[in-house]
Amino acid sequence: MDPHLLRTFVTVARLGSFSAAAHELGYTQSAVSQQISVLEGDLGAKLFTRRPVAPTTVGLRLLDHAEPLLLRLEAARADLARLSSVAADEVTVAMSPLAAPPSLAAAAHALRGLTVRVVGREEAIASVARGTADVALVDGMAAPSDPLHLTDISPLTTRAVVEQPLAVALPTDHPLAGRSALRLTDLADARWIDAPDAAIPLARLRVSATTDGFRACLRYEGCDVTGLLALVAAGLGLAVLPASAITTAAVPISVPRAVHRIELVHNGTLTGQVARFATAVSATAQASNSRMRTAR
């Protein structure tokens, strides 16, 4: 399959319009229609309904393959370009909303120039693969000392930065707000807010608790943790976050044993300013983890 045709296909699917896709890609609408027809002819199946423009069942399945394939191609191009590039004076960090380690400020002081871009977890990793960010800081829920399960986009390298306690965020007047600890399974049927980028995703809670509970009563899309906690405080649902980020009532999770883990993600060997940033941001990791183990 021609990558150019796949890129056109993904753009049409995302925008739901041939004309909008043509405008974004710099083609004429007839050129976009022709490219989709060529791709449909190659695959022997219709990829879109035309009125309205929407992926067919086959189109949806192709979309599952096309987006990772295109990202992998971008990652390969960026990886090869990186081999012949000169180390930059400035560092761009893609960071998920809960992935700011205690040592980030010290790392910023160690550099001449730093740009921090707050995005979702998947986008942070993809930014490193594409070469639009030098490194990423991503977070997630994991068993103590276990690595995060990250999307396999390209040969990326990860290193642990810090592990912190996790807690359930509740309204201050919630009946369980005074508990010293909670079993996660005890809350499987509670009202939850699904905030996949601003909190631990509910899908991850289901895996950790080995239950099909944790169903969302509200979907929260975005990276604003403050806005999420305002919804929790208003009684609209619960969320799991690192205890240090919670401004409402916070009750630690006793079972399963899990931590909020932050990892640094990069591509290839670190040099120059990027290497200095990675060293600085990891400098307090051992001490922070030791303090956490002592507290437990």
Side-chain angles (χ1 to χ4, degrees), residues 50-70:
R50 297 311 201 259
R51 295 179 185 276
V53 175
T56 62
T57 301
V58 175
L60 288 172
R61 182 59 61 86
L62 178 60
L63 199 59
D64 290 338
H65 293 285
E67 291 178 320
L69 283 171
L70 291 173

Side-chain angles (χ1 to χ4, degrees), residues 64-82:
D64 290 338
H65 293 285
E67 291 178 320
L69 283 171
L70 291 173
L71 180 54
R72 191 80 188 214
L73 287 171
E74 290 182 66
R77 182 181 293 276
D79 194 23
L80 296 177
R82 199 176 282 112

